[in-house]
Amino acid sequence: MNAFWEVLEHLYKKVLLGATLESESHEYVFYLNPALPDQEYATTLSLERPDTNEVQEVHQPATVTAMPGAGVRVKRNSQTRGGQETQLLQLTVIQVMISKILSAETEIRAKEKYCDITKILLQSNEVDSKLICMIQNSDKLLSHMAAKCLALLLYFQLKEKITLSTSWIVFCENNLSEYSESNEVVHCVWILTAVIKEIFKDTCSEKTEILKQFLTTFETTLEVFYDSLFSQHFENHQDPSKIINSLVSFLDLLELLIASRIYLKSHFRSQSVFFLKPSCVLDILTQPLPAFVKRKLIIFIKKCLLCKVGEDLCRASVLALLSPDHHLDVDMMALANAVLQAVSLGLLKTLPVRGKRPCFGGNEAQPGGGDAAGPDHVLLRAASLITVKSLEIKFQNYTSINEMKADLQRFMSELLTFLKPHLQPCLQLYSPCEWLCQVFIEQDDDMLEAAKALLSVYLKLVRDYEATESVTQGKETWIRHTHENGYNPHCIFIFFLKNIGFDSAVLLDFLISSETCFLEYFVRYLKLLQKDWDIFFTICKAFNAAESQCGRNIHSCAPSLAQDRSSKQIPPPHGLTAPGSHRHAHACVPWAAGDSSELLKQDVMSKETDTVSDYSLTSHTSQRLVDYDSSDDSETESTGQCLANSQQTSFPEQASKTVQGPAGTACFRYLKNGSGWKDFGFLQQ
């Protein structure tokens, strides 16, 4: 019926503009009330219209007329204009109307009218029950639109403090009380996720109360479904696609539940169920799942450990500004213990690092698009980060230095063995500490999170060592232990500087950027450097000795996972040696051979001579790191000095030329003079 469609289309245009509707609310409800999918569209509905002028306003442009006081009968025929098209337009109008209600830009009068129409639609027409029927429709577009519409209506009910419909609650309880291979499970989980997203997106101050009202209804149901879903054996399902869809959808919901706990400061068991039963998720990783599902699970665990769940929705929330949460700390400790236990049982060996890597749009390479073979670097980074982050969290409650050393050696050995087949060959010739920069070179934020975690582990061990009487006697063994297990903070920092080309401008970008935790890491490292200056100086000379003995150049050898992906000239990696034999494999490296004492004596004697002789090389760049206070100033400076810089050799290039002989010495000179650390004030105390 063209008249019905035209009126509905006219209503859509007015609502889209946020215009005020002048007719009675019941007039609009008549056109927005969808018919059930299995209901005959020839059903005739009647609605009294008391005013001819209002009827004409609604029908504009109208082909249906009505006499004052008479009933207007409109036939909804699926054969005319398409019943499905009419339903889709009705759902679209409802969605736009609720969006306008939630928008702060909508005029008060128009918003009140939209609210009145929506309330009447909910109360008198059982629209929620009809939407639930539409969700189960075989037409995917209609099903999806109905799900979106229902999610908005549920959030409208929560915000207006209207009791949630019984039909929706019963529908969820029936489908989530126990896992079943039905599409309704995915629909329920998706709608719950969409409602929580709406809570996050809203700017009102009552988010916590709205979330409390919502989660109270489904508290028990969500935990029951968690237990049921993660206890499934995927190999027993004839059609694994359905359970995989349910799993992926439920992980999105779990992430939002945890995010709402962190940022909205609410405490429900459904928000903590993952921390209370983390082994359920970890056990799933050992089952024959597609690679992309295991990758999503590992990334989900990584986000939980870093407290970065839902960060894309929490625009105004900054984790560093959040108040301490003792209950969350306890949960994080439980998760870290579960992760480390899974690692000790061989979790890393079950991860599908090799093979076809899952990519956006599938894992099949397009013709002429190159070979996608090689390790899954995203999975490598995530697995490495959850291991070191779990160590950092677990070490917070350790009291025995011997237990810490044993666990650190065990888990780092497990991690290095896992990484061994996927790292570049030149790592075998240099230092185990280089693993971090190689694995994370393409992901700055994760690299710095891992470096900060290992620094925290080191500082915890140092404090406990300093509290013992045998600290002097066992210092050499202790330093060697940090190198052999790949967590020495000075080596890690020097490798980081090597990867950025010893470029102070890049270092400045890291300092002023809010996208990584570099500033926090850098401040903590500089405080350590004040105490460990001699050790740092010895390591710089060890780099020089390693270059001389192994024939490597610290600046010319910068292997990365990116090179492994893009270059076919590199031979297949044979990795590093077994963690238990690092001492023998790295015999050419002085710190692994016990020569650090002699090196330290030589270095201290030549320290001032080296510093003075090379100060002229670095004096012209030493101020650039702190000459300005913001990135805006840096842009101004870079523009003004562009011509001057183009006429002289940059500092990293000059440093590289000087490094041809003593690489470690040049590295030390750069850090001492060229980086401008003295201007930070950390080393003046």
Side-chain angles (χ1 to χ4, degrees):
M1 184 174 181
N2 290 334
F4 189 90
W5 175 271
E6 289 173 0
V7 173
L8 196 59
E9 192 174 36
H10 180 68
L11 177 60
Y12 167 72
K13 292 177 180 178
K14 295 196 70 173
V15 175
L16 189 62
L17 295 173
T20 303
L21 303 177
E22 302 297 338
S23 296
E24 290 292 332
S25 298
H26 289 278
E27 300 283 341
Y28 303 104
V29 171
F30 172 78
Y31 291 99
L32 294 178
N33 181 28
L36 291 174
D38 57 350
Q39 187 178 21
E40 183 181 356
Y41 283 101
T43 301
T44 304
L45 299 176
S46 300
L47 185 65
E48 292 293 328
R49 287 170 171 75
D51 192 297
T52 305
N53 295 329
E54 289 182 353
V55 172
Q56 291 294 342
E57 192 274 339
V58 174
H59 282 257
Q60 226 172 26
T63 59
V64 178
T65 58
M67 295 300 292
V72 176
R73 300 168 69 85
V74 179
K75 187 176 182 180
R76 303 185 180 192
N77 196 326
S78 59
Q79 303 300 323
T80 307
R81 195 64 189 188
Q84 182 177 323
E85 290 184 32
T86 302
Q87 288 178 323
L88 290 172
L89 184 55
Q90 287 174 320
L91 297 177
T92 303
V93 176
I94 295 173
Q95 288 181 50
V96 175
M97 188 174 289
I98 298 176
S99 298
K100 293 296 181 181
I101 294 172
L102 301 176
S103 173
E105 299 177 359
T106 308
E107 294 182 2
I108 299 297
R109 188 182 171 194
K111 186 178 293 188
E112 290 176 350
K113 189 68 174 181
Y114 298 161
C115 280
D116 188 47
I117 294 171
T118 306
K119 288 179 181 178
I120 295 174
L121 192 64
L122 285 168
Q123 292 171 1
S124 61
N125 293 278
E126 298 183 349
V127 67
D128 45 3
S129 299
K130 296 177 181 180
L131 290 175
I132 290 173
C133 291
M134 287 184 176
I135 287 171
Q136 302 172 69
N137 194 289
S138 58
D139 185 275
K140 292 185 178 180
L141 178 58
L142 183 62
S143 175
H144 180 66
M145 290 292 290
K148 289 178 64 177
C149 192
L150 181 57
L152 284 174
L153 283 172
L154 289 170
Y155 182 62
F156 174 81
Q157 290 175 309
L158 291 169
K159 190 164 184 178
E160 295 295 320
K161 295 180 172 57
I162 302 173
T163 305
L164 293 178
S165 65
T166 306
S167 57
W168 163 247
I169 296 175
V170 172
F171 179 70
C172 274
E173 289 178 348
N174 290 341
N175 287 286
L176 300 182
S177 59
E178 185 177 0
Y179 174 75
S180 61
E181 293 188 358
S182 65
N183 295 326
E184 284 71 25
V185 172
V186 177
H187 293 316
C188 284
V189 173
W190 189 93
I191 292 171
L192 292 172
T193 305
V195 173
I196 298 179
K197 283 183 179 180
E198 290 298 326
I199 295 175
F200 269 111
K201 289 192 294 183
D202 204 342
T203 56
C204 70
S205 58
E206 302 176 348
K207 289 183 177 182
T208 304
E209 290 301 319
I210 294 174
L211 182 69
K212 180 179 179 181
Q213 180 186 352
F214 184 63
L215 292 183
T216 301
T217 308
F218 303 103
E219 180 78 344
T220 305
T221 304
L222 290 173
E223 184 176 0
V224 170
F225 183 72
Y226 179 93
D227 294 335
S228 176
L229 178 63
F230 288 107
S231 63
Q232 298 294 315
H233 294 281
F234 289 78
E235 62 273 11
N236 297 335
H237 291 266
Q238 295 180 349
D239 185 7
S241 62
K242 290 186 177 180
I243 190 171
I244 287 172
N245 288 338
S246 300
L247 177 60
V248 171
S249 299
F250 192 64
L251 282 177
D252 293 336
L253 177 58
L254 273 181
E255 182 176 347
L256 285 178
L257 287 171
I258 297 170
S260 64
R261 175 191 176 177
I262 295 174
Y263 293 105
L264 301 183
K265 296 298 181 184
S266 57
H267 300 282
F268 287 89
R269 187 173 177 84
S270 59
Q271 296 172 304
S272 306
V273 64
F274 170 64
F275 298 103
L276 296 173
K277 305 172 183 179
S279 58
C280 296
V281 177
L282 292 167
D283 290 343
I284 286 286
L285 287 168
T286 62
Q287 295 195 33
L289 288 171
F292 80 92
V293 179
K294 291 194 175 185
R295 176 201 269 197
K296 187 174 180 68
L297 284 165
I298 290 291
I299 292 176
F300 167 73
I301 296 171
K302 182 192 78 171
K303 286 182 178 181
C304 291
L305 288 169
L306 298 179
C307 288
K308 289 186 176 182
V309 284
E311 59 182 349
D312 54 333
L313 292 171
C314 310
R315 298 169 237 164
S317 302
V318 180
L319 185 62
L321 302 179
L322 294 177
S323 57
D325 187 341
H326 172 70
H327 298 290
L328 183 61
D329 293 339
V330 173
D331 286 347
M332 287 295 178
M333 184 65 68
L335 176 57
N337 287 331
V339 169
L340 292 178
Q341 182 180 3
V343 170
S344 65
L345 294 175
L347 171 67
L348 299 178
K349 299 174 184 177
T350 66
L351 299 179
V353 178
R354 286 288 176 181
K356 290 184 178 180
R357 291 172 292 176
C359 304
F360 180 77
N363 57 6
E364 294 294 335
Q366 295 296 322
D371 187 10
D376 185 345
H377 306 128
V378 174
L379 194 57
L380 279 177
R381 289 192 291 266
S384 302
L385 186 52
I386 66 170
T387 304
V388 297
K389 188 65 181 178
S390 297
L391 281 171
E392 178 195 13
I393 295 172
K394 186 174 182 179
F395 274 27
Q396 293 173 2
N397 287 350
Y398 266 61
T399 55
S400 169
I401 185 68
N402 292 328
E403 284 186 30
M404 281 191 285
K405 280 189 64 177
D407 278 355
L408 184 61
Q409 185 167 1
R410 178 160 58 99
F411 289 113
M412 289 305 296
S413 174
E414 187 81 23
L415 178 59
L416 291 175
T417 302
F418 165 67
L419 296 173
K420 173 182 175 180
H422 313 297
L423 296 180
Q424 289 295 325
C426 54
L427 177 59
Q428 180 183 3
L429 303 175
Y430 213 59
S431 166
C433 296
E434 195 174 1
W435 75 268
L436 189 141
C437 285
Q438 281 206 16
V439 171
F440 293 98
I441 193 168
E442 295 178 3
Q443 196 73 32
D444 294 337
D445 54 345
D446 282 355
M447 175 175 65
L448 292 168
E449 288 286 356
K452 183 165 72 79
L454 290 175
L455 177 60
S456 298
V457 170
Y458 179 87
L459 292 174
K460 171 70 174 174
L461 288 168
V462 165
R463 284 193 294 268
D464 289 345
Y465 260 116
E466 290 175 348
T468 62
E469 297 180 358
S470 60
V471 61
T472 305
Q473 300 175 357
K475 191 167 186 177
E476 263 190 45
T477 305
W478 150 248
I479 295 299
R480 187 182 296 112
H481 182 272
T482 66
H483 290 296
E484 292 173 354
N485 292 283
Y487 69 97
N488 185 279
H490 305 299
C491 276
I492 290 172
F493 185 67
I494 293 173
F495 279 121
F496 166 73
L497 292 177
K498 182 193 74 171
N499 280 344
I500 65 173
F502 294 89
D503 190 340
S504 59
V506 177
L507 195 64
L508 174 62
D509 288 339
F510 275 106
L511 283 170
I512 63 179
S513 172
S514 60
E515 297 178 359
T516 69
C517 63
F518 180 73
L519 182 59
E520 179 186 357
Y521 161 73
F522 194 46
V523 169
R524 296 181 68 184
Y525 176 72
L526 289 178
K527 290 180 179 179
L528 170 67
L529 191 59
Q530 295 180 78
K531 301 177 182 179
D532 281 5
W533 183 255
D534 290 338
I535 297 175
F536 172 77
F537 188 74
T538 302
I539 292 173
C540 288
K541 296 297 278 185
F543 271 75
N544 176 42
E547 179 187 332
S548 301
Q549 296 179 28
C550 301
R552 295 183 58 199
N553 188 307
I554 187 174
H555 291 279
S556 63
C557 183
S560 69
L561 292 173
Q563 291 174 346
D564 175 54
R565 270 209 303 268
S566 60
S567 174
K568 296 184 179 179
Q569 303 300 322
I570 298 176
H574 53 277
L576 59 132
T577 58
S581 60
H582 288 158
R583 187 179 296 104
H584 304 291
H586 295 80
C588 64
V589 182
W591 62 63
D595 299 333
S596 58
S597 300
E598 185 62 31
L599 275 171
L600 179 59
K601 294 177 183 177
Q602 298 173 4
D603 293 344
V604 171
M605 294 175 62
S606 61
K607 184 187 299 183
E608 293 194 6
T609 304
D610 290 338
T611 303
V612 174
S613 63
D614 266 343
Y615 185 78
S616 60
L617 173 67
T618 61
S619 59
H620 71 283
T621 59
S622 62
Q623 299 299 322
R624 287 190 60 196
L625 190 59
V626 291
D627 275 350
Y628 38 81
D629 298 325
S630 69
S631 57
D632 295 333
D633 297 332
S634 70
E635 291 177 2
T636 304
E637 183 205 37
S638 62
T639 303
Q641 293 187 354
C642 181
L643 180 61
N645 290 342
S646 65
Q647 296 175 353
Q648 57 182 327
T649 306
S650 65
F651 169 71
E653 293 174 354
Q654 295 184 35
S656 297
K657 294 177 182 178
T658 307
V659 160
Q660 299 301 325
T665 305
C667 175
F668 163 76
R669 292 167 185 162
Y670 170 75
L671 295 171
K672 181 70 175 176
N673 301 316
S675 68
W677 281 356
K678 59 183 179 296
D679 297 312
F680 282 102
F682 294 110
L683 300 178
Q684 295 178 356
Q685 300 176 355

